């Protein structure tokens, strides 16, 4: 699912919005809690990213230019606290979009609360088919779905995930299907597992870690395209679980892509690993990392850096690790945040290519409120810009103009899209969407793992 279609992502020029923020008025209720989210995909076939917004009881599809494509009232599976309510977790969109049958048109896939998979036309919202795969005995329903490429045929496979029916809910159940099979009522899986170690607060993610043209399933357990376990993290701390998981080329000297996972509860470690096993694990004074932003934050160091928010309910104390597991910086957010910014800190954290320079920034919203959005230097915490808005959701993706990313805010029934008006110092770069890990992460994000 490369948004640029048959045209080189380098050559494709997307129109830039005339005003920042560009505002889309949506015909849906505003957000009342953390159920639902935002994703982007080319729904109408014009080569530009469009917008899918989900919430309890509805899906809204709007074109890149703000035009309404369709709004669907449906019991789409979205959930808040996944360990209690099941997947996909806080801000998890619960929806996928790609050309899953290679007919040149985008399809949109989602689950409803009765465990039925629905496929609708991306441009019109008209239903094309449904499927009802067998639910594992110890699960209640299927709760999370991810479009994947397991057979090397492109976006033609589907991963579904469920949590255990009773107790602290974890997404241990996985099943992979051919989408072509599901579309004709054939529900025999390609493979199944009941021992997946996932995150406690969100669904499984996928990425092509070894760059062989097929996706792996990412969690504390890495599962290969044939359903075999490739690696499992060492034993977690007593009562511990994983809060978040990411895929990034943290160590460019190694082939492929690395996985970064954050542990909650003592010893509160950061793990970096891949198909070949553990690369390093570390912690900073046993403080919980909780959420992270991973990017090129220090140009004088090799590889990428890992910025961790920390757990504190107030007076957050972020810390930064380099690509080799050395803690290189820490500070108190209250010492550097803008005047009037909440003492609760930041949340919904994402690395962002905003300036076009090699150095990347982090963007986040005010924590525990529909508040402002801040753009800051992760190495110092210094805020570069403050967007005075009321953010319920925050999503980052390249959707207009050049290859740099836009900051997409859901505020009630509006989408507000902010872009950088300054000239891009490096305009000739390829689109970010050509990177498999980037594309997959933007379709499987949630509050803990943007």
């Amino acid at each position: 699912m490369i948004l640029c279609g048959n045209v080189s992502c380098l050559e494709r020029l997307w129109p830039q919005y005339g005003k920042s923020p560009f505002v889309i008025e949506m015909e849906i209720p505003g957000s009342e809690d953390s159920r639902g989210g935002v994703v982007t995909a080319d729904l109408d076939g014009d080569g530009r990213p469009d917008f899918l917004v989900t919430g309890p009881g509805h899906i809204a599809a709007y074109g890149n230019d703000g035009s309404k494509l369709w709004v669907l009232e449906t019991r789409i599976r979205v959930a808040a606290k996944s360990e209690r309510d099941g997947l996909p977790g806080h801000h998890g969109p619960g929806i996928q979009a790609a050309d899953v049958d290679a007919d040149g048109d985008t399809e949109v896939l989602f689950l409803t609360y009765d465990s039925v998979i629905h496929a609708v036309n991306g441009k019109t919202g008209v239903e094309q088919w449904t499927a009802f795969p067998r639910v594992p005995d110890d699960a209640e329903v299927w709760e999370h779905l991810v479009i994947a490429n397991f057979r090397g045929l492109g976006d033609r496979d589907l991963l579904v995930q469920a949590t255990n029916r009773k107790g602290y809910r974890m997404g241990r159940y996985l099943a992979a299907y051919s989408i072509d099979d599901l579309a004709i009522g054939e529900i025999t899986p390609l493979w199944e597992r009941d021992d997946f170690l996932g995150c406690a607060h969100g669904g499984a993610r996928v990425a092509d870690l070894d760059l062989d043209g097929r996706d792996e399933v990412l969690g504390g357990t890495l599962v290969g395209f044939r359903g075999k376990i490739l690696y499992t993290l060492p034993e977690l701390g007593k009562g511990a679980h994983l809060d978040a998981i990411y895929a990034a080329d943290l160590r460019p000297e190694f082939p492929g892509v690395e996985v970064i996972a954050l542990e909650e509860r003592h010893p509160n470690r950061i793990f970096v690993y891949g198909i070949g096993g553990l690369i390093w694990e570390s912690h900073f004074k046993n403080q919980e990392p909780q959420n992270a932003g991973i990017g090129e934050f220090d140009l004088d160091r090799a590889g990428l850096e890992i910025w961790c928010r920390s757990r504190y309910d107030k007076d957050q104390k972020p810390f930064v690790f380099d690509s080799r597991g050395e803690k290189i910086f820490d500070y108190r957010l209250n010492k550097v945040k803008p005047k009037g910014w909440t003492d609760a800190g930041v949340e919904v954290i994402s690395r962002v290519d905003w300036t076009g320079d090699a150095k990347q920034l982090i963007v986040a919203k005010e924590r525990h409120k529909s508040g402002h959005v801040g753009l800051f230097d992760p190495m110092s915490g210094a805020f570069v810009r403050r967007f005075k808005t009321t953010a319920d959701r925050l999503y980052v993706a390249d959707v207009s103009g050049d290859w740099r990313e836009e900051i997409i805010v859901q505020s009630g029934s509006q989408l507000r899209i902010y872009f950088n008006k300054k000239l891009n110092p490096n305009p000739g770069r390829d689109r970010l969407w050509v990177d498999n890990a980037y594309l997959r992460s933007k379709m499987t994000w949630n509050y803990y793992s943007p």
Side-chain angles (χ1 to χ4, degrees):
M1 189 187 71
I2 295 177
L3 291 169
C4 303
N6 294 324
V7 179
S8 164
C9 285
L10 184 60
E11 297 172 359
R12 171 75 74 182
L13 297 176
W14 294 339
Q16 184 58 278
Y17 295 121
K19 184 180 179 181
S20 183
F22 177 74
V23 177
I24 300 175
E25 299 283 355
M26 300 184 294
E27 298 177 17
I28 56 173
S31 171
E32 295 183 357
D33 55 28
S34 63
R35 291 176 293 169
V38 182
V39 294
T40 187
D42 180 13
L43 301 176
D44 57 13
D46 66 357
R48 292 182 288 166
D50 306 307
F51 304 98
L52 285 165
V53 183
T54 66
H58 66 260
I59 304 168
Y62 283 84
N64 188 271
D65 63 357
S67 59
K68 176 184 172 183
L69 297 178
W70 47 272
V71 173
L72 185 63
E73 292 186 7
T74 181
R75 296 187 68 244
I76 181 174
R77 172 82 197 193
V78 287
K81 199 170 185 178
S82 64
E83 63 269 33
R84 180 193 66 200
D85 305 321
L87 301 169
H90 296 301
H91 297 204
I95 200 163
Q96 298 281 289
D99 179 6
V100 300
D101 54 12
D103 67 350
D105 296 328
T106 296
E107 288 74 42
V108 173
L109 275 62
F110 59 92
L111 282 160
T112 44
Y113 279 87
D114 55 3
S115 208
V116 173
I117 299 167
H118 298 256
V120 304
N121 182 277
K123 187 174 183 178
T124 66
V126 173
E127 188 160 272
Q128 297 184 322
W129 53 265
T130 61
F132 183 31
R134 183 190 67 82
V135 179
D137 292 340
D138 290 334
E140 186 177 19
V141 292
W142 290 116
E143 302 163 9
H144 179 59
L145 79 175
V146 182
I147 290 172
N149 176 8
F150 293 133
R151 293 172 297 155
L153 302 176
D155 294 336
R156 308 291 292 275
D157 304 311
L158 191 70
L159 180 77
V160 290
Q161 185 181 21
T163 61
N164 43 288
R165 184 188 299 268
K166 298 180 180 179
Y168 192 95
R169 298 175 72 160
M170 293 280 287
R172 62 181 295 178
Y173 302 100
L174 299 178
Y177 292 88
S178 156
I179 292 177
D180 288 339
D181 286 351
L182 292 175
I184 60 173
E186 172 56 59
I187 56 171
T188 302
L190 300 172
W191 52 264
E192 298 174 286
R193 297 211 69 92
D194 63 2
D195 56 357
F196 180 67
L197 174 60
C199 291
H201 310 307
R205 314 187 83 174
V206 301
D208 181 5
L209 296 181
D210 55 4
L211 308 183
D212 68 346
R214 305 186 190 210
D215 290 321
E216 285 74 44
V217 184
L218 314 185
T221 303
L222 299 182
V223 180
F225 60 84
R226 293 190 178 93
K228 304 299 184 183
I229 291 179
L230 304 175
Y231 174 70
T232 298
L233 283 174
E235 186 175 356
L236 301 181
K238 185 177 181 180
H241 57 250
L242 297 180
D243 264 351
I245 194 160
Y246 311 83
D249 190 10
L250 190 78
R251 299 281 293 269
E253 73 272 27
F254 293 163
V257 176
E258 288 74 54
V259 178
I260 301 95
L262 310 182
E263 181 182 42
E264 177 178 344
R265 295 188 185 156
H266 191 86
N268 290 315
R269 289 166 290 183
I270 301 166
F271 298 99
V272 175
Y273 52 103
I275 291 175
L278 187 69
I279 299 172
W280 58 261
E281 64 175 78
S282 190
H283 64 83
F284 175 51
K285 297 181 178 179
N286 300 117
Q287 296 180 94
E288 183 182 327
Q290 194 166 65
N291 305 107
I294 299 161
E296 183 59 89
F297 304 142
D298 186 343
L299 301 182
D300 294 328
R301 292 178 182 270
L304 305 182
E305 287 72 48
I306 303 170
W307 178 93
C308 297
R309 183 185 76 172
S310 79
R311 172 61 183 262
Y312 302 95
D313 292 332
K314 292 192 175 182
D315 195 15
Q316 290 172 346
K317 299 175 177 62
F319 47 92
V320 184
F321 278 80
D322 69 10
S323 64
R324 285 161 173 74
E326 178 185 352
K327 194 277 294 182
I328 54 176
F329 204 69
D330 66 285
Y331 52 92
R332 291 176 59 186
L333 191 63
N334 277 355
K335 294 290 187 181
V336 293
K337 67 181 178 67
K339 183 178 180 181
W341 191 277
T342 175
D343 287 341
V346 296
E347 64 179 358
V348 196
I349 296 138
S350 183
R351 183 221 71 205
V352 59
D353 272 297
W354 179 257
T355 66
D357 290 324
K359 181 180 171 69
Q360 297 169 316
L361 301 173
I362 282 179
V363 65
K365 65 180 285 292
E366 287 191 276
R367 193 179 183 202
H368 295 164
K369 63 187 295 188
S370 295
H372 292 177
V373 169
L375 188 66
F376 62 91
D377 180 348
M379 293 302 296
S380 65
F383 277 62
V384 174
R385 183 168 174 185
R386 180 179 187 174
F387 301 89
K388 295 183 177 180
T389 185
T390 50
D392 302 318
R393 302 279 186 277
L394 179 62
Y395 180 67
V396 171
D398 170 22
V399 298
S400 71
D402 56 37
W403 62 269
R404 292 177 297 183
E405 292 175 294
E406 281 66 51
I407 296 169
I408 302 161
V409 171
Q410 183 182 355
S411 178
S413 295
Q414 288 185 338
L415 279 187
R416 300 174 183 174
I417 304 164
Y418 296 86
F419 62 89
N420 191 346
K421 295 181 181 179
K422 294 181 179 180
L423 289 176
N424 188 341
N426 295 296
R429 274 192 54 179
D430 215 348
R431 289 278 177 193
L432 302 175
W433 293 106
V434 302
D435 177 60
N436 167 275
Y438 180 86
L439 186 151
R440 296 304 193 201
S441 72
K442 294 303 175 183
M443 195 60 70
T444 58
W445 75 283
N446 70 2
Y447 176 98
Y448 281 87
S449 303

